Amino acid sequence: MAGKQTVIVTGGSGFIGTNFVRLLVKSGGYRVVNLDALTYAANALSLVDLEGHPDYVFVKGSITDRELVSSLFAKYQPVGVFHLAAESHVDRSIVNAEDFVQTNVVGTYTMLESARAYWKGLSDEKKHSFRFLHVSTDEVFGSLGETGYFNEETPYAPNSPYSASKASSDHFVRAFHHTYGLPTIITNCSNNYGPYQFPEKMIPLMIMNALSGKPLPVYGDGMNVRDWLYVEDHCKAVKLAFEKGQPGDVYTIGGNNEQKNIDVVNQICVILDDIAPPVEIPQLREQGLKSYRELIRFVTDRPGHDRRYAIDSTRIRRELGWRAEVGFEAGLRRTIEWYLSNPDWVDRASGGSFGEWIQKNYAWRAEESK
Ligand SMILES: NC(=O)c1ccc[n+]([C@@H]2O[C@H](COP(=O)([O-])OP(=O)(O)OC[C@H]3O[C@@H](n4cnc5c(N)ncnc54)[C@H](O)[C@@H]3O)[C@@H](O)[C@H]2O)c1
C-alpha cells in the first residue's frame, strides 16, 4: 500500500461512481474506500471485478449517518473525499423529493461536518493538501435559451426538486470553504452517458426498449438540448480537478457536444439498426419492424423540463489541460455494445429478463459474427 493515497468516495456503486472508482484503482495511485447505501440506483455487479482488490474497500452505509462517516475518517485517514453519492433521477424527484433533501442536502452537510472535524486535527501539511471534491451538475443553473453557455460565473436558478437539492448542496460546500477554510472543489458537469448507467435514464432506456420492441418515449417535441459527455471523460476531469485544483475552485465540465433529444434517439436507432438489425431478430421480425426508428413516440413533456443546457469548459481546459477524448458517435456505439454484452448487469438493474432476451434473440448473432 506504500505510496498510495487513501480517499473516501461516496456513491461509488452508482453510474459515475462505478466508472470513477475503477479509474482510481486502476491508476495505481489510490486506495479507495467506497461508502454507498446501495439504493435502487446501485448495482452489486458493477464493481464485482474489484472485490478482494487490495486497494478497494466497500462500506455499505448512508452519508447521512454521522457516526459512521466520522468513524471512516478516523479509521482510514484519507487525503481527501470525492463526494458523488446523491439521489440523481429528476423524474423521481418530481414524484417525491424527500429522499433528495435527505441525501443531497442533509447527507452533503453531514459529509462536510465530518470532514471538517477530521481536517481540523490534521498536521499543517496534511491540512494544506486535503481536498473535498463535490461532484455536481449543470442543472443547478436552470435553462438556457437558443444561445449562450453555462460557466463558473453563471448564477444559480434550479428548476426541478433534484436540481434545487444539488444547488443547496453546492452552497453548503462553498460556505464550508468560505467560513471554515475547508479546502473544497466543486465540479458542475453536463449529462453523462456510458456503461453502467441505470436503465431508467434516457440513453439506456432507449436501448433497452428498442431491443424489446417497445415504444421509445420522447418527451414533448424532442427538441430539448443536452450537452452529452462520455462518463470516462467526466471521471478524468474530476480526478484532475482533485489533483491540480486549488481550494475554493469551481469547474464547469461539458463535452462541447450539444444534441437534441430526438437526434440522440435517432442516432441510437441508426447504430442498433447496424449492429442488431430488427429483421435478424425473430421477435422483432415477427412484429414487422424494419428499423428501430419506427418505435419512436412523442409523449407528454416532463413538468418544468429545461430547454437547453450547454457548458463552456474553457477554464478546466486552460488551467488543467483537460479535454473530452471520446466523440459522441464512438461513445454511443461503445455504450450500446456494452449493454448488449452485459445482460446480467441489466437484469440486476431492471429486475427484468434482458438476459433471457439476449439468449433468445441476440446471442446467436454474436456467436455468428465471431
Ligand atoms: N449522471 C449524470 O449525468 C450526472 C451529471 C452531472 C453530475 N452528476 C452527479 O454525479 C453524482 C453521481 O451521479 P450518478 O449518475 O452516478 O448517480 P446514480 O444515481 O447512478 O448513483 C448514486 C449512488 O449514490 C448512492 N447513494 C444514494 N443515496 C445514498 C446515501 N444516502 N448514502 C450513500 N450512498 C447513497 C446510490 O446507492 C448510488 O450508488 C451525483 O452527485 C450527480 O448529481 C450526474
Side-chain angles (χ1 to χ4, degrees):
M1 212 67 74
K4 299 221 163 136
Q5 310 238 55
T6 299
V7 289
I8 293 178
V9 175
T10 70
S13 304
F15 161 47
I16 298 172
T18 294
N19 287 282
F20 186 65
V21 167
R22 193 169 285 109
L23 174 79
L24 282 190
V25 172
K26 297 272 154 79
S27 77
Y30 291 92
R31 177 189 191 222
V32 174
V33 179
N34 170 17
L35 171 62
D36 197 299
L38 297 184
T39 68
Y40 75 93
N43 190 321
L45 294 181
S46 294
L47 287 171
V48 88
D49 54 318
L50 291 186
E51 269 170 28
H53 194 292
D55 296 333
Y56 177 66
V57 179
F58 175 69
V59 179
K60 182 171 187 283
S62 175
I63 56 166
T64 57
D65 182 344
R66 175 78 196 263
E67 213 175 299
L68 171 68
V69 174
S70 299
S71 75
L72 295 182
F73 278 105
K75 180 170 177 188
Y76 293 105
Q77 300 284 306
V79 300
V81 174
F82 293 94
H83 178 40
L84 283 79
E87 285 292 335
S88 74
H89 291 194
V90 177
D91 286 337
R92 286 184 184 240
S93 81
I94 293 169
V95 176
N96 184 349
E98 177 67 31
D99 289 347
F100 290 74
V101 175
Q102 281 308 320
T103 289
N104 301 359
V105 184
V106 179
T108 300
Y109 170 74
T110 308
M111 288 302 302
L112 287 165
E113 270 297 13
S114 306
R116 182 168 78 94
Y118 162 76
W119 173 76
K120 268 198 311 201
L122 293 176
S123 65
D124 283 350
E125 195 191 340
K126 286 185 174 163
K127 240 190 199 153
H128 188 69
S129 57
F130 185 85
R131 294 287 180 274
F132 185 104
L133 191 141
H134 175 63
V135 174
S136 192
T137 166
D138 61 352
E139 301 192 25
V140 297
F141 303 125
S143 186
L144 287 167
E146 295 288 310
T147 57
Y149 295 90
F150 297 135
N151 65 24
E152 291 79 3
E153 315 302 327
T154 306
Y156 277 51
N159 288 325
S160 73
Y162 163 66
S163 53
S165 68
K166 288 297 290 188
S168 170
S169 68
D170 290 12
H171 291 324
F172 271 106
V173 174
R174 180 191 155 92
F176 268 64
H177 173 63
H178 285 275
T179 308
Y180 306 113
L182 187 70
T184 63
I185 294 172
I186 299 175
T187 56
N188 295 95
C189 187
S190 61
N191 284 48
N192 284 216
Y193 69 101
Y196 301 99
Q197 188 164 29
F198 190 72
E200 213 170 85
K201 295 282 183 109
M202 185 176 103
I203 289 180
L205 176 82
M206 296 300 166
I207 301 170
M208 297 303 114
N209 278 16
L211 289 168
S212 322
K214 289 188 192 155
L216 306 181
V218 177
Y219 280 135
D221 59 4
M223 302 299 270
N224 300 64
V225 172
R226 299 293 180 263
D227 177 357
W228 290 94
L229 180 65
Y230 193 65
V231 64
E232 283 173 14
D233 279 329
H234 179 200
C235 291
K236 286 179 189 167
V238 168
K239 181 168 175 283
L240 208 56
F242 180 89
E243 290 168 350
K244 295 197 176 157
Q246 294 306 306
D249 276 350
V250 175
Y251 292 102
T252 48
I253 305 166
N256 198 18
N257 171 43
E258 287 181 52
Q259 302 277 344
K260 296 188 183 80
N261 284 349
I262 185 64
D263 293 340
V264 174
V265 177
N266 272 319
Q267 287 178 74
I268 292 171
C269 292
V270 168
I271 297 170
L272 277 173
D273 281 344
D274 180 33
I275 60 181
V279 288
E280 290 184 19
I281 291 175
Q283 185 196 328
L284 304 181
R285 194 172 51 229
E286 275 165 32
Q287 224 173 295
L289 205 66
K290 297 211 168 43
S291 162
Y292 291 100
R293 274 200 248 198
E294 294 162 34
L295 296 170
I296 295 174
R297 301 285 180 277
F298 291 94
V299 300
T300 311
D301 208 356
R302 166 195 274 171
H305 201 180
D306 289 335
R307 195 64 174 167
R308 174 172 168 261
Y309 303 145
I311 292 265
D312 175 359
S313 313
T314 306
R315 181 166 185 206
I316 190 164
R317 278 193 276 116
R318 203 183 47 219
E319 291 183 9
L320 306 186
W322 175 85
R323 66 184 177 83
E325 291 166 18
V326 181
F328 191 56
E329 213 273 335
L332 213 46
R333 195 169 271 272
R334 230 190 257 185
T335 305
I336 291 172
E337 279 165 357
W338 186 87
Y339 279 91
L340 281 167
S341 316
N342 289 277
D344 294 342
W345 185 94
V346 177
D347 267 1
R348 181 70 77 95
S350 59
S353 51
F354 189 63
E356 222 175 87
W357 184 94
I358 286 277
Q359 280 307 323
K360 232 177 34 214
N361 295 304
Y362 187 77
W364 65 271
R365 286 204 72 242
E367 274 306 309
E368 239 181 25
S369 60
K370 266 183 194 163

